[in-house]
Amino acid sequence: MVEEELVREIAREVVEHVAPQELVLFQAESTAYFRDPRKALKAARKRAAATPKDERFGFGGGELIAIATPIVLAMVETALVTVGEHLMLTASERSLGSVRGLVRRMLRRPDQAEGEEPAGGEDTGEEGADPATGAATGPAAGPEADAADGTARPSGTAEALPPALTEVVRHKVYEQARRLGINEDRARLLADAVIGGLTA
């Protein structure tokens, strides 16, 4: 199960990019979505069908309605499930909680519990590699370890989303947008925005 708060956090950034006029409705729409995703998506599709094409996703000045928000929430949820499944496959012995933490680290999203002492007396001082991402751990992954672009990575972060996984996620969310009735160009735009939200 994906972390609802992380879905909201990323989806809000995506909506801000693709349909900023919907931000004022984001809280209510996201609450409705998590209460009943099917119903929220059905309502969004119905509103989209009744709205002129040039007034969707931030174009045109029509009445303030939410079309993109439920669709973006569904796409972000799918993206995070895909990332989580990848991590579960590559680290099958991890607990659900540790996978959630890995997802946040991979996406460079700070955890609310960050800064707490590791549970169970884990030794975090050893150098090695994270089996899920191949990222260095321990002292070698500290602030002094430079990223490829020459900037220092914060201590404890994993590598960014691997390119192959990024493409898998992009394809899945694009196909989902198409199934939800979004045309090809808009589906690409939304899929790119979701990837941008994951990798920002």
Side-chain angles (χ1 to χ4, degrees):
M1 186 175 178
V2 294
E3 186 185 341
E4 184 177 313
E5 195 51 46
L6 185 57
V7 174
R8 286 180 194 267
E9 181 183 330
I10 297 172
R12 193 180 193 288
E13 293 171 10
V14 175
V15 169
E16 186 174 14
H17 177 68
V18 299
Q21 80 283 0
E22 289 190 20
L23 281 179
V24 68
L25 303 172
F26 184 83
Q27 187 60 41
E29 287 294 319
S30 60
T31 299
Y33 174 83
F34 285 110
R35 189 184 304 122
D36 190 338
R38 266 187 166 174
K39 185 177 178 181
L41 288 168
K42 186 177 179 182
R45 290 181 71 173
K46 190 174 179 181
R47 291 190 296 258
T51 305
K53 287 183 180 180
D54 63 349
E55 293 184 10
R56 299 178 194 171
F57 305 116
F59 299 95
E63 180 188 354
L64 185 60
I65 57 173
I67 296 171
T69 298
I71 293 168
V72 168
L73 284 160
M75 292 172 75
V76 170
E77 191 169 18
T78 295
L80 290 176
V81 166
T82 304
V83 172
E85 285 173 350
H86 166 78
L87 291 173
M88 287 290 281
L89 285 171
T90 54
S92 59
E93 294 181 6
R94 293 183 186 277
S95 68
L96 181 59
S98 66
V99 168
R100 283 177 176 163
L102 275 172
V103 169
R104 278 191 170 274
R105 286 199 301 279
M106 180 178 273
L107 302 181
R108 296 189 171 100
R109 301 273 172 170
D111 199 337
Q112 293 166 345
E114 200 173 275
E116 291 180 5
E117 289 297 316
E122 289 178 39
D123 181 4
T124 57
E126 273 185 34
E127 293 186 23
D130 187 315
T133 64
T137 59
E144 67 281 358
D146 287 346
D149 61 1
T151 59
R153 268 198 305 269
S155 178
T157 57
E159 292 295 332
L161 219 56
L165 179 57
T166 299
E167 287 313 305
V168 169
V169 172
R170 189 193 308 275
H171 180 72
K172 280 199 172 190
V173 296
Y174 167 80
E175 289 296 330
Q176 182 179 29
R178 295 290 286 137
R179 286 194 303 274
L180 290 170
I182 306 303
N183 71 37
E184 191 174 332
D185 290 341
R186 294 280 181 248
R188 281 207 186 92
L189 171 76
L190 288 172
D192 287 344
V194 168
I195 292 298
L198 292 178
T199 59

